[in-house]
Amino acid sequence: MKTERIDLPQHELPCKWYNIAPDLPRPLDPPLHPGTGQPLTASDLAPIFPMALLQQEMSNEPFIEIPDDVREVYKYYRPTPVFRARNLEKALDTPAHIYYKYEGASPAGSHKPNTAIAQAFYNKQEGIKRLSTETGAGQWGCALSMACSIFDLKCAVYMVRISFEQKPYRRVMMETWGAECFPSPSERTATGRKVLAEYPDTPGSLGIAISEAMEDCLQHDDTHYALGSVLNHVMLHQTVIGEEALKQMELAGEYPDIIIGCHGGGSNFAGMSFPFAGRKLREGLNTRIIAAEPQASPTLTRGPFAYDFGDLSGMTPLLRMYTLGHGFIPAPIHAGGLRYHGAAPLVSLLLNTGVIEAQAFHQVECYEAALLFARTERWIPAPETSHAIRCAITEAEKCKLTGEKKVILFNFSGHGLLDLSGYDKFLHGELTDYAMPDEDLRQGLASLPKIPGG
Amino acid sequence: MKTERIDLPQHELPCKWYNIAPDLPRPLDPPLHPGTGQPLTASDLAPIFPMALLQQEMSNEPFIEIPDDVREVYKYYRPTPVFRARNLEKALDTPAHIYYKYEGASPAGSHKPNTAIAQAFYNKQEGIKRLSTETGAGQWGCALSMACSIFDLKCAVYMVRISFEQKPYRRVMMETWGAECFPSPSERTATGRKVLAEYPDTPGSLGIAISEAMEDCLQHDDTHYALGSVLNHVMLHQTVIGEEALKQMELAGEYPDIIIGCHGGGSNFAGMSFPFAGRKLREGLNTRIIAAEPQASPTLTRGPFAYDFGDLSGMTPLLRMYTLGHGFIPAPIHAGGLRYHGAAPLVSLLLNTGVIEAQAFHQVECYEAALLFARTERWIPAPETSHAIRCAITEAEKCKLTGEKKVILFNFSGHGLLDLSGYDKFLHGELTDYAMPDEDLRQGLASLPKIPGG
């Protein structure tokens, strides 16, 4: 069987990131100050982010130039290939054409370096010496550790305790690149100490870890905070994925009918889909764009569209987004990167305006899809990525029923070589599904803040 | 700093493997039958290998065509990039130019699929349904599992018990691709049962695992045996690495003065270096070609050049090679892929005739080199690969002293994402060196067989 790997030569690496803001059906609701509930200004965030990133966060320019120093680092692993999944198509006996963009090629193994490198660069430019951040499954913490080693910054990562214990290799990776990695909650912050005093055996959560990383930042003059998803500038940096994919699909001579990405906070989904969503909005195309999320943390399919905090302690700005409530603690599924109560405001607005759609999947059906993928297309997907694959297979199976020759493109956001324990359980019949109980949702939503004048 | 990644377009993927046999300074000594000590014929090996591989094993043709079906599978991850290690050069403050070929790009994470895919293909063509093999650290077992899933073959892997227990992710990877993986020694073979009866707590060895895999093959009519190193046809398949590198160095506008690969059985070293060694032999070049091996298993630097078995039980043919004796059990260093008593006959002959040289390194200095590499060049090397990096750094440091602008090219044989426990120990000061004691060498050499008429 012919292998169709669509490569871009290095000189085709995009020079610009795509900013979807000016193409949106309506403007984003403003982020609000967590204390006053009033719209936030750039200066409110200056203690934690460099000005270049804050400008990008609020920019209305359709394209923003990628700095040369960032492009040079991208060239370690970019452009990444697009594959036609012919073996998977054959196994499914579907008339659909399935393509995937392979973002597992970076040294950290996922799409996360696309923004980590940019964030480290802008912080370095502004004279910052150290970055603090949180990480769930560890993909983001590893990517930022690597990026900090490139730009000679120190890096402190607060890793959700359950992942810290279950995935020690992730910590070792971060340390190999010179970062410090702490299990969260930790004794290093007020938030951490408070949680530990109340719940000494807590597995931790992303919401707690974000509070700790922000506290760490505010306690250290030389330190800024970095976030791996949710914010506009993170989505922006990830669009290098979709910008490349646009060119690669042109080389393939096909345009996708369906674009799919897995969804936790939104970064890989946005990175792949926004350039296509922009064309859809500008040219009135029919492209279906689907965010694939876990049933255990079904933010987009079951949460309300409301203002909420990004962290447990309520230190972050209030963002209008789909949310399960910042007090929601998702079940311990293996796709740790999708265990988040909120969603990017940009993704949320596109969903609220019907530009994109969302589907939720169970853990076991995602591992079934991942196994079929590994046995046909060879690459072993991260548990997060398996949600996109499950969704793509579902759409391809529909094509088999209808006989339609749809073109499906999904983002393979990262490999699963550091997450093989989930495969072990799945292969030996020990994996279970966790659908979110209504009671958990009710409790999570009870944590939604009252907005003054909101 | 500019990233120099030298890519080859897909249509430059080599069409032929390079066979060094006709360029050797003298012919290889014949392999001998383990029972009679007489030169082996192809028919002696027909029960375990397909005829196409046996023809390659004994071929004197300088180039052998890569079948289209094999080239198509190579295209999942080949051509692999060559990088100029500018950040490493800067950190070393050396005038040397350091290049490396990145073989970590395959789904299995190392160079091993280059031969696994070819071996699975030829066995499938001959109607074989199942392959048995052994694996040490697991790189080879994973590669063959993946290749068997591509060509719809069953696969049974005997994994050295200590690695089976220390690296459970490797087993999970093999199972994900549909293979069975057994800790060796096992109860499945006479060799395994005998060893277990005598030494119930044995950590196992490659020599034991090879005996078990060969027994498994001989017990099953539908099964052939596959080996990931040592044999001529394995070296042949790996030359796709060096054939690509020849073209890439031409694109870089430089020709290497020094070629380096780590050495266990010889496959990645040969794959990178043989095409350059062939030019050296044909054109009288001065290229230095260095095999980097561990002090804990210093086959090339301290073993005699003698006929020996490849396995513990003496089931394999007798090969003339550098060897520490098939009874030698190397210390449990993390570079499990380099823990082998013997060396490929082709590599051995080139060393014996002065075409190549060998250097041995200690474990800790190799991890130091790996850490510097990860923090300058981002990719995290496998413990095996770290030996090549250590050697390259040593040569680059010599250039700093002499002011020579030598061009160094080494093979980055695989990434270390499934071997991070060694980094963990190193980073926390818990790693030690294991130089081979003279007494172990004496005992190992005592196991060398007496060859009738030898």
Side-chain angles (χ1 to χ4, degrees):
Chain A
M1 172 116 36
K2 281 269 175 215
T3 297
E4 266 182 69
R5 188 181 91 185
I6 304 148
D7 291 330
L8 281 186
Q10 277 176 51
H11 63 83
E12 292 270 17
L13 181 69
C15 299
K16 294 174 179 178
W17 292 304
Y18 166 65
N19 179 16
I20 201 168
D23 288 325
L24 291 175
R26 63 165 198 259
L28 276 183
D29 300 287
L32 305 180
H33 190 285
T36 65
Q38 294 304 302
L40 210 68
T41 62
S43 65
D44 290 329
L45 293 173
I48 60 172
F49 292 125
M51 202 43 71
L53 289 179
L54 290 173
Q55 282 164 0
Q56 291 178 358
E57 189 67 20
M58 297 174 180
S59 168
N60 219 37
E61 291 300 314
F63 286 96
I64 292 178
E65 201 157 327
I66 306 176
D68 277 349
D69 286 355
V70 172
R71 286 184 85 233
E72 285 305 317
V73 182
Y74 279 174
K75 285 185 190 164
Y76 272 100
Y77 63 96
R78 304 207 74 85
T80 60
V82 163
F83 289 89
R84 169 94 181 262
R86 283 199 184 266
N87 292 305
L88 177 61
E89 291 171 17
K90 195 179 157 200
L92 296 172
D93 189 24
T94 175
H97 292 190
I98 307 175
Y99 292 85
Y100 58 97
K101 176 88 166 152
Y102 182 69
E103 287 290 308
S106 75
S110 79
H111 68 292
K112 291 288 188 191
N114 298 332
T115 183
I117 292 161
Q119 293 190 45
F121 167 77
Y122 288 118
N123 275 291
K124 177 75 175 182
Q125 253 201 339
E126 214 166 274
I128 287 298
K129 306 284 185 215
R130 181 171 174 276
L131 292 178
S132 67
T133 197
E134 71 292 323
T135 196
Q139 295 268 28
W140 165 245
C142 287
L144 194 69
S145 302
M146 184 194 82
C148 284
S149 92
I150 293 172
F151 292 104
D152 201 18
L153 297 168
K154 289 182 187 166
C155 184
V157 183
Y158 292 82
M159 184 169 184
V160 174
R161 169 166 285 175
I162 179 81
S163 295
F164 183 92
E165 286 165 2
Q166 283 177 347
K167 302 187 178 187
Y169 277 16
R170 284 280 176 200
R171 167 185 59 75
V172 182
M173 245 177 128
M174 296 180 223
E175 291 175 349
T176 298
W177 282 314
E180 288 184 295
C181 178
F182 310 106
S184 167
S186 76
E187 293 285 350
R188 295 171 54 89
T189 68
T191 301
R193 288 187 294 269
K194 181 158 176 272
V195 176
L196 284 173
E198 238 174 303
Y199 310 100
D201 296 327
T202 177
S205 76
L206 265 174
I208 299 169
I210 293 174
S211 294
E212 289 207 272
M214 286 184 69
E215 259 193 64
D216 179 306
C217 162
L218 295 171
Q219 285 162 8
H220 293 86
D221 279 347
D222 63 349
T223 302
H224 267 170
Y225 168 71
L227 190 65
S229 194
V230 179
L231 298 179
N232 304 346
H233 67 267
V234 180
M235 308 294 124
L236 175 79
H237 302 152
Q238 293 292 357
T239 59
V240 67
I241 302 171
E243 288 293 313
E244 286 178 7
L246 273 171
K247 297 186 194 190
Q248 286 163 306
M249 291 308 295
E250 206 173 312
L251 287 175
E254 305 208 270
Y255 192 85
D257 300 299
I258 304 175
I259 309 265
I260 297 166
C262 64
H263 188 279
S267 82
N268 97 82
F269 169 74
M272 171 57 103
S273 67
F274 280 10
F276 292 91
R279 276 192 69 167
K280 175 176 178 172
L281 286 160
R282 291 191 305 274
E283 301 172 23
L285 305 179
N286 285 324
T287 326
R288 285 181 63 205
I289 301 173
I290 311 173
E293 66 178 8
Q295 283 284 6
S297 186
T299 312
L300 299 174
T301 50
R302 295 184 61 192
F305 185 47
Y307 271 106
D308 197 6
F309 296 109
D311 69 326
L312 180 72
S313 298
M315 300 173 69
T316 71
L318 288 155
L319 301 172
R320 189 151 184 227
M321 58 185 179
Y322 285 91
T323 175
L324 301 168
H326 63 279
F328 178 77
I329 306 280
I333 54 169
H334 282 272
L338 308 185
R339 289 180 67 238
Y340 188 60
H341 67 275
L346 283 168
V347 171
S348 296
L349 188 138
L350 290 170
L351 179 64
N352 190 249
T353 53
V355 179
I356 66 165
E357 56 193 285
Q359 293 176 18
F361 297 93
H362 285 290
Q363 174 160 270
V364 173
E365 62 184 343
C366 290
Y367 272 94
E368 283 164 1
L371 197 75
L372 178 60
F373 188 84
R375 290 185 180 179
T376 52
E377 297 294 321
R378 318 312 161 206
W379 310 106
I380 297 180
E384 292 80 6
T385 309
S386 73
H387 292 68
I389 298 172
R390 173 72 263 169
C391 184
I393 290 175
T394 302
E395 294 299 324
E397 283 170 341
K398 283 186 208 160
C399 289
K400 186 180 175 183
L401 291 177
T402 61
E404 287 173 295
K405 215 183 204 166
K406 290 203 173 145
V407 177
I408 301 170
L409 169 64
F410 73 86
N411 195 29
F412 184 103
S413 55
H415 66 60
L417 300 190
L418 288 128
D419 311 277
L420 285 165
S421 61
Y423 283 88
D424 201 16
K425 286 193 189 141
F426 171 68
L427 287 163
H428 297 93
E430 294 161 17
L431 208 70
T432 50
D433 283 334
Y434 297 93
M436 179 183 68
D438 288 341
E439 176 55 21
D440 285 14
L441 178 60
R442 203 192 55 73
Q443 280 185 19
L445 295 183
S447 70
L448 282 178
K450 300 258 179 298
I451 309 301
Chain B
M1 174 115 38
K2 282 269 175 214
T3 297
E4 266 182 69
R5 187 181 91 186
I6 303 148
D7 291 330
L8 280 186
Q10 276 176 53
H11 64 83
E12 293 270 17
L13 180 68
C15 298
K16 293 174 179 177
W17 292 303
Y18 166 65
N19 179 15
I20 201 168
D23 287 325
L24 291 175
R26 65 165 196 257
L28 276 183
D29 300 286
L32 305 180
H33 191 284
T36 65
Q38 293 305 303
L40 210 69
T41 61
S43 65
D44 290 328
L45 294 173
I48 61 172
F49 292 125
M51 203 42 73
L53 289 179
L54 290 173
Q55 281 163 359
Q56 291 178 358
E57 189 66 19
M58 296 174 181
S59 168
N60 219 37
E61 291 300 313
F63 287 96
I64 293 177
E65 201 157 329
I66 306 176
D68 278 348
D69 286 354
V70 172
R71 285 186 86 234
E72 284 305 317
V73 182
Y74 278 173
K75 284 187 190 164
Y76 271 101
Y77 63 97
R78 304 206 74 87
T80 60
V82 163
F83 289 90
R84 168 93 182 263
R86 283 199 184 265
N87 293 304
L88 178 61
E89 291 171 17
K90 195 179 156 199
L92 296 172
D93 188 24
T94 175
H97 293 189
I98 307 175
Y99 293 85
Y100 58 96
K101 177 90 167 151
Y102 183 69
E103 288 290 307
S106 76
S110 80
H111 68 292
K112 290 288 187 192
N114 298 333
T115 183
I117 293 161
Q119 293 190 44
F121 166 77
Y122 289 117
N123 276 291
K124 177 75 175 184
Q125 252 200 341
E126 213 166 276
I128 288 298
K129 305 285 185 217
R130 182 172 174 274
L131 292 179
S132 67
T133 197
E134 71 291 324
T135 197
Q139 295 269 28
W140 166 246
C142 287
L144 193 70
S145 301
M146 185 195 81
C148 284
S149 93
I150 294 171
F151 292 104
D152 201 18
L153 297 168
K154 289 184 189 165
C155 184
V157 182
Y158 292 81
M159 185 171 185
V160 174
R161 168 167 284 174
I162 180 79
S163 295
F164 183 91
E165 285 165 3
Q166 283 176 348
K167 304 188 177 187
Y169 277 17
R170 284 281 176 200
R171 167 186 57 77
V172 181
M173 245 177 128
M174 297 180 222
E175 290 176 349
T176 298
W177 281 315
E180 287 183 296
C181 177
F182 310 106
S184 166
S186 76
E187 293 285 351
R188 295 170 54 88
T189 67
T191 300
R193 287 187 295 270
K194 180 157 175 275
V195 176
L196 283 173
E198 237 174 303
Y199 311 100
D201 296 327
T202 177
S205 75
L206 266 174
I208 299 168
I210 293 174
S211 294
E212 288 207 270
M214 287 184 69
E215 259 192 63
D216 179 307
C217 160
L218 296 171
Q219 284 162 7
H220 293 87
D221 278 347
D222 62 349
T223 301
H224 267 171
Y225 167 72
L227 189 64
S229 195
V230 179
L231 298 179
N232 303 346
H233 66 267
V234 180
M235 308 294 124
L236 175 80
H237 302 152
Q238 292 292 358
T239 59
V240 68
I241 302 171
E243 287 294 312
E244 287 179 6
L246 272 172
K247 296 186 194 189
Q248 286 163 306
M249 291 308 296
E250 206 173 311
L251 289 174
E254 305 208 270
Y255 193 84
D257 299 301
I258 304 174
I259 309 264
I260 297 166
C262 63
H263 188 278
S267 82
N268 97 83
F269 169 75
M272 171 58 100
S273 68
F274 280 10
F276 293 91
R279 274 191 69 169
K280 176 177 178 171
L281 286 160
R282 291 190 305 274
E283 300 172 24
L285 304 179
N286 285 324
T287 326
R288 285 181 62 205
I289 301 173
I290 310 173
E293 66 178 6
Q295 283 284 7
S297 187
T299 312
L300 299 175
T301 50
R302 295 184 62 191
F305 186 47
Y307 270 106
D308 197 6
F309 296 109
D311 69 327
L312 179 73
S313 299
M315 299 172 70
T316 71
L318 288 156
L319 302 172
R320 190 153 183 223
M321 59 185 177
Y322 285 92
T323 176
L324 300 167
H326 64 280
F328 178 76
I329 306 280
I333 53 169
H334 281 273
L338 307 185
R339 290 179 68 239
Y340 188 60
H341 67 276
L346 283 168
V347 171
S348 296
L349 188 138
L350 290 170
L351 179 63
N352 191 248
T353 52
V355 179
I356 66 166
E357 55 193 287
Q359 293 176 17
F361 297 93
H362 284 292
Q363 174 160 269
V364 173
E365 63 183 343
C366 290
Y367 271 95
E368 283 164 359
L371 198 74
L372 176 62
F373 188 84
R375 290 185 181 179
T376 51
E377 297 294 321
R378 316 315 159 204
W379 309 107
I380 297 180
E384 292 80 6
T385 308
S386 73
H387 291 69
I389 298 173
R390 173 72 262 170
C391 184
I393 289 176
T394 302
E395 294 299 325
E397 283 170 341
K398 282 187 208 161
C399 289
K400 188 181 172 184
L401 291 177
T402 61
E404 287 174 294
K405 215 181 202 166
K406 289 200 174 151
V407 177
I408 300 170
L409 169 64
F410 73 85
N411 195 29
F412 184 105
S413 55
H415 67 61
L417 300 189
L418 288 129
D419 310 279
L420 284 164
S421 61
Y423 283 87
D424 201 15
K425 286 193 189 141
F426 171 67
L427 286 163
H428 296 93
E430 295 161 16
L431 208 69
T432 50
D433 283 334
Y434 298 93
M436 178 184 70
D438 288 340
E439 175 56 22
D440 285 15
L441 177 59
R442 204 191 55 74
Q443 281 185 19
L445 295 183
S447 71
L448 283 178
K450 301 255 181 303
I451 309 301

